[in-house]
C-alpha cells in the first residue's frame, strides 16, 4: 500500500489516501478546515461514503507521499471519536446474529451494507452472493439479510456472511 496527502485548494481541507499498487483507494479521509473529518468508512450526510471512484495516479505533482504511520495517525484519530459507539455495536451484534439492512455502496473491499440495527455499517464479500443474485438487484437500497461473521476493526465495520439480496428496495 502507498499513502498520499493532497491539499487541493483553500477551503477543501487536507485529503489522505491509502492506495494499492494500481492506484485503487482502500481508505480515504479528509480533514476539513474546521477540523471535522469525512472518512470512507462512515456515511456522511452530504458526501455519502467518500472514496475515490477511479485509480489515483500517485505521480501527479499535487500528491505528497506520506508514511503509513502518518496516515494511520490521522485515521486512528478519526476512529477514536467513534470508539464508544463501535463497542456498543459489537456488543449488540455478536457473531452469529442475523441482521437485516440494505446495500449502500460497492467498494474494493466488498459490498457496504446499512444494518438497520444500530445503524451499523456491514461489509459483505460480493463474490459470495453475486452469482445467485439477479443482476438487477445488485444496486444500492436493495434489502438484504446476513449473519454477523466478525468485525473489521480498521474500518469499524461488521463483517457479514450468508448474504441474501432481495428484490424489494428500502424506501425509508
Amino acid at each position: 500500500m502507498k499513502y498520499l496527502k493532497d491539499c487541493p485548494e483553500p477551503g477543501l481541507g487536507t485529503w489522505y489516501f491509502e492506495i494499492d499498487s494500481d492506484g485503487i483507494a482502500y481508505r480515504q479521509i479528509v480533514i476539513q478546515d474546521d477540523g471535522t473529518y469525512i472518512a470512507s468508512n462512515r456515511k456522511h450526510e452530504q458526501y455519502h461514503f467518500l472514496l475515490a471512484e477511479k485509480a489515483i495516479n500517485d505521480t501527479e505533482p499535487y500528491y505528497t507521499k506520506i508514511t503509513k504511520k502518518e496516515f494511520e495517525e490521522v485515521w486512528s484519530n478519526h476512529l477514536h471519536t467513534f470508539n464508544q459507539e463501535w463497542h456498543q455495536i459489537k456488543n449488540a451484534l455478536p457473531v452469529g446474529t442475523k441482521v437485516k439492512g440494505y446495500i449502500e455502496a460497492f467498494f474494493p473491499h466488498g459490498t457496504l451494507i446499512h444494518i438497520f440495527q444500530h445503524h451499523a455499517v456491514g461489509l459483505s464479500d460480493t463474490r459470495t452472493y453475486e452469482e445467485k443474485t439477479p443482476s438487477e438487484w445488485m444496486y444500492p437500497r436493495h434489502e438484504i439479510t446476513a449473519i454477523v461473521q466478525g468485525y473489521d476493526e480498521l474500518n469499524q465495520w461488521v463483517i457479514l456472511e450468508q448474504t441474501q439480496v432481495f428484490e424489494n428496495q428500502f424506501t425509508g
Side-chain angles (χ1 to χ4, degrees), residues 81-92:
T81 61
F82 297 99
N83 277 348
Q84 183 177 352
E85 181 183 333
W86 176 233
H87 290 296
Q88 289 171 345
I89 288 169
K90 290 193 303 184
N91 287 335

Side-chain angles (χ1 to χ4, degrees), residues 5 9 17 21 29 31 42 45 55 57 69 74 80 102 105-106 112 131 136 141 147 150:
K5 177 176 162 178
E9 56 187 73
F17 302 90
S21 58
I29 189 164
I31 301 177
R42 301 188 73 80
E45 59 189 49
N57 180 353
K69 183 180 181 203
V74 170
H80 180 74
Y102 61 85
F106 295 94
L112 293 187
E131 283 187 17
E136 62 270 19
R141 304 199 71 74
I147 305 293

Side-chain angles (χ1 to χ4, degrees), residues 46-88:
Q46 185 178 352
Y47 298 105
H48 202 250
F49 284 95
L50 183 68
L51 188 67
E53 293 181 6
K54 60 181 186 172
I56 292 172
N57 180 353
D58 64 333
T59 63
E60 294 289 344
Y62 40 85
Y63 291 119
T64 304
K65 288 185 169 86
I66 60 172
T67 64
K68 178 179 182 177
K69 183 180 181 203
E70 185 177 349
F71 180 90
E72 295 297 351
E73 191 173 297
V74 170
W75 190 260
S76 66
N77 286 342
H78 159 67
L79 288 184
H80 180 74
T81 61
F82 297 99
N83 277 348
Q84 183 177 352
E85 181 183 333
W86 176 233
H87 290 296
Q88 289 171 345

Side-chain angles (χ1 to χ4, degrees), residues 118-132:
H118 306 283
H119 300 289
V121 178
L123 177 68
S124 184
D125 183 344
T126 311
R127 296 167 300 180
T128 63
Y129 67 88
E130 69 181 333
E131 283 187 17
K132 60 185 178 218

Side-chain angles (χ1 to χ4, degrees), residues 5-60:
K5 177 176 162 178
D6 180 23
C7 301
E9 56 187 73
L12 294 180
T14 303
W15 296 59
Y16 296 84
F17 302 90
E18 175 187 60
I19 62 170
D20 69 9
S21 58
D22 296 324
I24 305 299
Y26 277 78
R27 290 187 289 166
Q28 179 175 326
I29 189 164
V30 179
I31 301 177
Q32 296 182 286
D33 292 345
D34 65 3
T36 58
Y37 297 96
I38 303 171
S40 58
N41 70 319
R42 301 188 73 80
K43 186 174 182 177
H44 185 273
E45 59 189 49
Q46 185 178 352
Y47 298 105
H48 202 250
F49 284 95
L50 183 68
L51 188 67
E53 293 181 6
K54 60 181 186 172
I56 292 172
N57 180 353
D58 64 333
T59 63
E60 294 289 344

Side-chain angles (χ1 to χ4, degrees), residues 43 102 104 114 116 119 141 143 168-172:
K43 186 174 182 177
Y102 61 85
E104 279 277 16
H114 173 89
F116 292 136
H119 300 289
R141 304 199 71 74
E143 293 187 14
N168 40 319
Q169 294 185 34
F170 178 70
T171 57

